[in-house]
């Protein structure tokens, strides 16, 4: 008993219009597999990558502005997280260890360093905005990390220049 599908399939029971799943990407299906000049062995070049044009505004890019704005907020959130987690871990370590007067002294030092850390965070947030603007292909978590690291370094240099203390 033959069905319409098996009759259209041709010899061997295969449909000639269906490309087999074993065909690797970039290879044109069809032809004989044995000869080097056959279409099956020719490489199809990849399409050119389309980069977004930052200076051009058109109707097709209206929806992307909201996604770009959201990336700025997500990047800022990750930058704050890269500061908040170590600060919280240091506070927990201080609270769980040491005697009463050692703990009080350590908490006092931590409180005294908060204005400097806030200034460093502000510089890092500015760095995050610049890095997000310059490179939109990075993920927000890594832009936040890079901004926190670079911002902390810049803040160290700025604060040492203001206070006159050496970096060594």
């Amino acid at each position: 008993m033959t069905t319409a599908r098996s009759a259209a399939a041709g010899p061997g029971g295969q449909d000639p219009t269906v490309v087999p799943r074993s065909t690797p990407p970039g290879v044109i299906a069809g032809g004989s597999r044995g000869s080097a000049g056959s279409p099956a062995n020719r490489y199809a070049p990849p399409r050119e990558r389309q980069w977004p044009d930052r200076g051009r505004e058109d109707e097709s890019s209206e929806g992307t502005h909201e996604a770009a704005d959201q990336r700025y907020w997500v990047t800022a959130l990750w930058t704050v997280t890269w500061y908040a987690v170590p600060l919280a871990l240091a506070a927990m370590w201080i609270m769980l260890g040491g005697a009463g007067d050692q703990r009080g002294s350590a908490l006092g030092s931590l409180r005294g360093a908060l204005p400097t850390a806030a200034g460093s965070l502000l510089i890092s947030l500015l760095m995050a905005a610049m890095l997000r603007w310059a490179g939109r292909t990075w993920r927000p978590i890594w832009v936040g990390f890079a901004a926190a690291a670079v911002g902390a370094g810049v803040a160290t240099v700025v604060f040492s220049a203001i206070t006159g203390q050496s970096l060594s």
Side-chain angles (χ1 to χ4, degrees):
M1 171 184 222
T2 61
T3 63
R5 181 177 179 151
S6 64
Q14 294 180 348
D15 189 356
T17 60
V18 175
V19 177
R21 290 188 181 258
S22 63
T23 303
V27 174
I28 301 171
S32 65
R33 290 211 169 253
S35 65
S38 70
N41 293 330
R42 271 191 249 144
Y43 175 74
R47 295 185 307 170
E48 286 188 36
R49 184 172 179 153
Q50 298 293 321
W51 294 99
D53 188 8
R54 293 185 196 272
R56 198 174 118 199
E57 297 290 330
D58 60 354
E59 301 83 37
S60 64
S61 66
E62 285 182 21
T64 59
H65 291 299
E66 292 174 11
D69 290 343
Q70 183 182 12
R71 294 263 186 192
Y72 279 97
W73 286 105
V74 173
T75 303
L77 181 66
W78 277 111
T79 304
V80 170
T81 302
W82 284 111
Y83 274 87
V85 170
L87 184 64
L89 289 174
M92 276 185 10
W93 182 63
I94 289 170
M95 295 303 290
L96 295 176
D101 38 320
Q102 288 177 341
R103 186 178 304 145
S105 173
L107 281 175
S109 295
L110 186 62
R111 258 187 251 121
L114 284 179
T116 305
S120 177
L121 177 62
L122 181 64
I123 291 171
S124 293
L125 287 171
L126 292 172
M127 293 297 299
M130 287 190 299
L131 287 172
R132 172 52 52 204
W133 175 80
R136 297 199 180 213
T137 58
W138 283 19
R139 293 186 178 182
I141 187 173
W142 300 120
V143 174
F145 176 75
V150 172
V154 169
T156 301
V157 171
V158 168
F159 291 137
S160 72
I162 291 172
T163 61
Q165 296 177 346
S166 80
L167 293 175
S168 57

